[in-house]
Amino acid sequence: MPDCAGFPARPVSPDDLDLICRHREAMFLEAGGIAADLSVMGAHFRPWLRERLADGRYYGFVLLDAGIPIAGIGLMTLDWPPHPNHPEQDRRGYVLNVYVEPGHRRRGLASALMELADAEFARRGVGFAVLHATDAGRPVYAGLGWQATAEMAKRIG
Amino acid sequence: MPDCAGFPARPVSPDDLDLICRHREAMFLEAGGIAADLSVMGAHFRPWLRERLADGRYYGFVLLDAGIPIAGIGLMTLDWPPHPNHPEQDRRGYVLNVYVEPGHRRRGLASALMELADAEFARRGVGFAVLHATDAGRPVYAGLGWQATAEMAKRIG
């Protein structure tokens, strides 16, 4: 297993379903989300994730401290039209559900996870990746070379 | 056919392959892209688009003036994890390749295309959509209720 800021990292597996769901809800709750809304999201995210952990469309890593998960990161490869940022590739990487347990913060674990993500994307030949940052995550990502995009969004109807 | 700022609109079809490829390259060129790079992108975008026009994964509209295409918009439905902005849905809409021929600008055609997009997403039950704006497009989208997101991006390797 690769070592990550002193902690061993292992790939996510279908057995991490509960862990990743918990990380995702906690991440959005800490970013200002409403627990009841996140519970609705979680009920729909769980079967979505189960299917994708099983077939490998959702991949990523978990960091362990004495065998106990203390942080995680999710990765996907999005089907995307060839674009000036990846003119020869019809896909881009996506990073999601970056979460470090509160007792293990401020030790560089998020940065270490992001370096694992870079290496994994590179191993898969993915040359361009995106993510959506929380306010807490943005300076970490900016320090690793991530830059804001011109994405805009709208609720429909 | 729906009427759009006085011009009839029709859905895109596989016969629009050349048109949409031309719109995409022109759009990025006007946004500051380099022609040689866009040509590489275009060579990879064309087969990507052909497949998706054929099976309907790429949809959208073309505006006509006396039967001649004068503007176009592309739409897709992205597989996406249920999220606080769409907690019960595992997908989001995507808008791309919004292009108005230079001789037909400043008549509200881009806004009209965006209203067609809203209606099409609503018809398909898509409750949240994203796009990437050029500097020229941003104020148009902002005026229609689109807001900047926290997306960040990085080249890998």
Side-chain angles (χ1 to χ4, degrees):
Chain A
M1 292 195 293
D3 181 273
C4 204
F7 298 100
R10 64 160 174 78
V12 297
S13 84
D15 290 340
D16 293 314
L17 181 66
D18 287 344
L19 177 76
I20 297 167
C21 289
R22 181 169 66 74
H23 281 181
R24 184 170 179 81
E25 287 193 45
M27 174 188 72
F28 283 123
L29 191 65
E30 291 179 28
I34 295 162
D37 297 347
L38 295 177
S39 176
V40 172
M41 178 200 74
H44 291 85
F45 177 69
R46 175 176 290 268
W48 182 94
L49 177 63
R50 182 184 289 114
E51 189 181 309
R52 286 159 182 79
L53 280 172
D55 65 17
R57 278 180 288 168
Y58 187 105
Y59 48 103
F61 299 95
V62 173
L63 297 190
L64 304 170
D65 182 5
I68 306 295
I70 56 168
I73 188 169
L75 306 173
M76 300 177 65
T77 307
L78 307 177
D79 174 50
W80 209 264
H83 180 277
N85 285 322
H86 47 88
E88 301 187 60
Q89 293 198 332
D90 60 359
R91 56 198 179 133
R92 47 177 63 177
Y94 189 63
V95 179
L96 69 168
N97 300 335
V98 177
Y99 190 75
V100 178
E101 298 284 357
H104 288 79
R105 295 187 183 165
R106 311 191 74 81
R107 300 187 201 181
L109 297 193
S111 294
L113 286 168
M114 294 301 291
E115 285 169 19
L116 285 180
D118 271 22
E120 181 64 20
F121 286 141
R123 191 179 73 80
R124 293 174 183 243
V126 173
F128 184 78
V130 298
L131 59 76
H132 290 92
T134 59
D135 290 344
R138 188 175 295 107
V140 176
Y141 307 136
L144 295 169
W146 294 75
Q147 296 187 306
T149 77
E151 191 185 55
M152 303 179 84
K154 184 183 180 183
R155 287 180 196 263
I156 306 295
Chain B
M1 292 196 291
D3 181 271
C4 203
F7 298 99
R10 64 161 174 77
V12 296
S13 86
D15 292 340
D16 293 313
L17 181 65
D18 287 345
L19 177 76
I20 297 167
C21 288
R22 183 170 64 76
H23 282 182
R24 184 170 179 81
E25 288 194 45
M27 174 187 74
F28 282 122
L29 191 65
E30 293 179 28
I34 296 162
D37 296 346
L38 296 177
S39 176
V40 173
M41 178 199 75
H44 291 85
F45 177 68
R46 174 176 292 268
W48 182 94
L49 177 63
R50 181 185 288 115
E51 188 181 310
R52 286 158 182 79
L53 280 172
D55 65 18
R57 276 179 290 167
Y58 186 105
Y59 49 102
F61 300 95
V62 172
L63 297 189
L64 303 170
D65 182 5
I68 306 295
I70 55 168
I73 187 170
L75 306 173
M76 299 177 66
T77 308
L78 308 178
D79 174 48
W80 208 265
H83 180 277
N85 284 323
H86 46 87
E88 300 187 61
Q89 293 197 334
D90 60 0
R91 56 198 178 134
R92 47 177 62 177
Y94 189 64
V95 178
L96 70 169
N97 300 334
V98 176
Y99 190 76
V100 178
E101 298 284 358
H104 288 79
R105 294 185 183 168
R106 310 191 75 81
R107 301 185 200 180
L109 296 193
S111 294
L113 286 168
M114 294 300 291
E115 286 169 18
L116 284 180
D118 270 23
E120 182 63 20
F121 284 141
R123 192 179 73 78
R124 292 174 183 243
V126 174
F128 184 78
V130 299
L131 59 77
H132 291 93
T134 60
D135 290 345
R138 188 174 295 105
V140 175
Y141 306 135
L144 296 168
W146 293 75
Q147 297 187 306
T149 77
E151 192 186 50
M152 303 179 84
K154 183 183 180 182
R155 287 181 198 263
I156 306 295

